[in-house]
Each structure stands twice: as C-alpha cells, then as structure tokens.
Amino acid sequence: MKGLIRNTFYSMENNIKLAFLMAGFLILTPLITREPVVLSMITAVQIFIFIANVGTSLQADEISNWNRFELTLPVNVKSVILAKYISFCILIFFGFAVSLLTGLITVVTVPSLNTTSLIWGYQYGLTQSITVAAIMFPVMLKIGTEKNELIILISAFFAGIFMLIVAVLLAPWTAGINLRSGLVGAAALSVSPLLLLISYFISLRIYKNKEDR
C-alpha cells in the first residue's frame, strides 16, 4: 500500500513542487488586497491547485505502462484503488494546510474581515476538490488520460453544478438561491465525502473489469 502511494507521488513530484510554489505565493494575497470575495476565493484556489495534479499522475502511469504492470503485482484490487483515493486525500490536505496560512495572515492583517466569508472559501475549496476527485478518477480510469485537462475542467463544472443543486434545495432556508451561504457550503462539504465513497466503489468495479480482460 505504501509503495503504491509513493509511486503516485513520485509520478507528480515536479507538479506538486510547482503547486506548493504557486499556493505559497498566494499566501501573500492578504498583504495586497482586503477584498473578502478575493480572499475567500484564494483559499479555495490554494486547496484546488493540488488535486489538479491527479491527471498528471495518471497520465504518467499510462505512458509508462505502469497501469498495466500494477495488475500483475501481488496486491489486491482494493489496495490499488484505495491507494489512489488516499493519495487524493493527502493532496487535498496539502492544499488545506497551505490555505490555513493564508487564513491566519488574513485574520491578522484584516481584523475587520467577516470570518464567515473566509470560512466559505474553505468550504467551497474542499467541496470542489473532493467532488472533482470523485468525478474525474473513474472517468479517467474508464476512458484513459489522453484528455486529462479537459476531464478536470468538466469535473470542475459538474462540481459547481453539485453546489448549485445544494443551493437550490436549501433555498427555502437561505432566502433564495445563495451559493455563498454558509449553510450551503457546510451542506455541500458534508455530502461530498459520500460522493468520494461512491466514486471509490465505481472505480473498483471499473478496475476489476480491466483486470478480468
């Protein structure tokens, strides 16, 4: 299991370094602007930057034929797929950890900022990252990674649709459809791990079908 996780991170090592560099640069945003919307979106972007590397990792596996070789390893199918999903969670954690530094600087430098807006940035970023991972991995597993950038964009679009659906369902309690509502953000974030769990079982089924061929 540890070896499988290491392999995932080895294949996107350079991209992760770049993600840390970009997310680290964005930490300085509170020193440049005090606009609540900008600051909340920056934290969301910092979280999402890392999960966007998944496509690179899967494409590297496909080019090197690792995705075929791993079928012959003395590990069960569940371990192979679980290792991928653990890697996703680690990437999301990386983004969240960096964004916490942005939040800390924001609280110190912009004491007048409404923390509700900042919290929404975390809710949106985490929901977007979890949902994108849940959607794109089984898709790439099924059709390949040749168009991984497009798949990530489409996954991000559907992640946005997911939050919109939550906002519509909660409209009676948020005085209309309000995507920036804390209630909508909390509800979407609470449901997104379920989507990731469903995605895991779908990916497991797809992988088993590949192994049987």
Side-chain angles (χ1 to χ4, degrees), residues 139-192:
V139 173
M140 288 185 183
L141 200 59
K142 181 67 176 179
I143 68 175
T145 62
E146 184 177 346
K147 298 181 178 179
N148 71 85
E149 293 89 355
L150 179 60
I151 293 173
I152 291 174
L153 288 175
I154 293 175
S155 299
F157 171 77
F158 280 106
I161 294 297
F162 165 66
M163 285 205 72
L164 179 61
I165 292 172
V166 174
V168 170
L169 293 175
L170 294 178
W173 294 275
T174 57
I177 301 174
N178 183 6
L179 282 170
R180 293 190 62 82
S181 165
L183 179 60
V184 172
L189 180 56
S190 298
V191 175
S192 57

Side-chain angles (χ1 to χ4, degrees), residues 7-178:
N7 176 72
T8 298
F9 282 93
Y10 284 150
S11 62
M12 55 181 171
E13 181 178 359
N14 291 333
N15 291 72
I16 291 179
K17 289 179 181 178
L18 180 60
F20 269 112
L21 182 63
M22 294 172 61
F25 178 76
L26 292 175
I27 290 175
L28 302 177
T29 303
L31 303 177
I32 302 172
T33 179
R34 297 191 173 190
E35 180 60 42
V37 175
V38 174
L39 294 173
S40 62
M41 287 307 299
I42 285 298
T43 57
V45 169
Q46 285 177 309
I47 298 171
F48 182 76
I49 283 175
F50 287 84
I51 201 65
N53 287 293
V54 171
T56 302
S57 172
L58 297 176
Q59 190 172 47
D61 287 348
E62 191 169 289
I63 292 174
S64 66
N65 286 322
W66 169 261
N67 57 338
R68 295 183 181 181
F69 173 74
E70 66 183 359
L71 292 172
T72 66
L73 295 176
V75 291
N76 58 44
V77 175
K78 289 183 179 180
S79 295
V80 173
I81 298 300
L82 183 59
K84 294 295 185 185
Y85 280 83
I86 290 176
S87 299
F88 301 160
C89 293
I90 293 173
L91 287 171
I92 294 171
F93 173 77
F94 284 163
F96 179 66
V98 176
S99 68
L100 283 179
L101 294 176
T102 304
L104 178 61
I105 294 176
T106 299
V107 170
V108 172
T109 58
V110 194
S112 60
L113 178 70
N114 185 345
T115 54
T116 301
S117 176
L118 190 61
I119 291 172
W120 181 86
Y122 289 106
Q123 292 172 332
Y124 181 77
L126 288 169
T127 300
Q128 190 82 353
S129 297
I130 294 171
T131 307
V132 165
I135 296 172
M136 72 175 175
F137 182 63
V139 173
M140 288 185 183
L141 200 59
K142 181 67 176 179
I143 68 175
T145 62
E146 184 177 346
K147 298 181 178 179
N148 71 85
E149 293 89 355
L150 179 60
I151 293 173
I152 291 174
L153 288 175
I154 293 175
S155 299
F157 171 77
F158 280 106
I161 294 297
F162 165 66
M163 285 205 72
L164 179 61
I165 292 172
V166 174
V168 170
L169 293 175
L170 294 178
W173 294 275
T174 57
I177 301 174
N178 183 6

